[in-house]
Amino acid sequence: MKKSILALSIFSVMSTPILANEAVSAEEELAYSLGIQALIYGAGPLTVAAVRETSTSVDAPMNNAMAPINQMGKTRVLSGPQDRIVPTVNNDTLYSQAHYDLDQSGPIVLEVPPTNERYYIVQLLDAYSDSIEDLYQGNTGKQGAKVLLVKEGWNGTVPEGIDKVVESRTDNVWLIHRTGVSGDKDLPEALQVHDRFISYPVAELGKDHPPVELKAATSRIPPMAKPQGLEWFALIDRELRKNPIKEDAVIVDQFDYIGIGGESPFSAQDLSQEQQRGLRRALKSANQIIHYAGRDVGTTNNGWSMMFEGGRYGTDFLSRASINLRAAGLNVPERALYPNRYTDANGEQLSGQHSYKMVMPADAPADAFWSLTMYDAKNLFMVENEIDRYSISTNRKDELKYANDGSLPICIGYERPIDESCNWLPAPKDDFYLHIRLYEPTQAVLNNSYSMPQVIKQ
């Protein structure tokens, strides 16, 4: 989605309805245009900050993946409809989560244990939701590794026992670790591996480190708190000050006009009434732009948005914004690719009022495993259903019914299918959204030569 943010902002200004008798000053229009650009640019750091604020609001590591800053929390069960911290959470893996502030903690050691070929990935994201690096068996080895996480430019001495050094361009780092689980029966064994992924300050290297002691949470991670009104701009200002990106100065410096990134922190009271009106209008328009762009991110393959941009956005701030709307903390495509769609083969919105069929060929394009997960179309959360099935996953083969040719037929709808040989993925009564996860995708899908299966209304 390589589009000009400035062009989008100008288009938005031109297309915003203005009443004939309503005089809009150039001062307001400039604030409006810059406000849209700031919100699109800031959507990545806003998302990461909102997750950080919610996830670290505890005094000890928890078994719902919450933990204080610079500590690690973990889940003990697979995610489901109750988990609403971010959109499109998966139903395939256990999670560990940590938010580091390297300015506060100094270098952090990440321990990756031997996993006996069990799927895992330790994803490291900077404060803008861009990928720093993914740790997986391909770069840590079968015996595991000790990895040192440092701020870019760190000139300390790498201690003995460290196998790899990873540099972050920002002080804040978001760790998302996933451990594959082959259904509930596999959970106890998966947890033994999952618990041995740990982190600690480099000063503690060489000490004995048992699994993290987790407090029992009384609920899942609560929803992210959303700023109100012009507080959105105050949060953008805070995050850009904490985690400046030198090469983005040509974009960010212009936001000084609306109180972002200047000599003093953002204060709405320091802006004129015209500027405040422009920023309030920008909040609505930017939200509409990001939602609109999010319905058609990147390359399309048989109706699936492939999201090859995940994790590596460069200056494509609109893709970064729209992807964070639907899938915060996306992996780079080589490690996990996320084809997704709102519509059927005819381009019509997917709805529980209808029934659909999809057949995944025997040569499914994932070297590890793949899954298809159901979410509501409005908020992108899993939805309760009568059989407690939220995804179809090849990591749970004992649940699946394959055709004689090795393909996997999937029936999608609110009503149970008549064909008992078809794997039923229950849908909500109203509009829904489908999300495939290809863990370790094949080269054929990465170069877009593999034809994804269609979703056909019956």
Side-chain angles (χ1 to χ4, degrees), residues 42-52 86-87 129 174 224 320-321 324-325 328-329:
L46 279 173
T47 301
V48 177
V51 176
R52 185 194 317 128
V86 293
S129 76
W174 183 14
M224 292 181 287
R320 186 171 75 188
N324 272 282
L325 172 73

Side-chain angles (χ1 to χ4, degrees), residues 90 93-96 119-123 134 176-180 194 197 328-331 338 437 439:
N90 83 52
T93 71
L94 296 166
Y95 280 99
S96 303
Y119 174 83
Y120 74 88
I121 184 169
V122 179
Q123 181 185 9
D134 290 319
I176 311 171
H177 156 230
R178 302 165 176 90
T179 300
H194 185 64
F197 286 83
L330 208 64
N331 278 295
Y338 304 91
R437 289 176 170 84
Y439 295 97

Side-chain angles (χ1 to χ4, degrees), residues 244-266:
I245 301 297
K246 186 183 301 184
E247 55 267 34
D248 288 354
V250 66
I251 299 292
V252 174
D253 284 354
Q254 65 185 323
F255 302 152
D256 186 15
Y257 179 80
I258 54 174
I260 292 174
E263 293 184 2
S264 303
F266 178 89

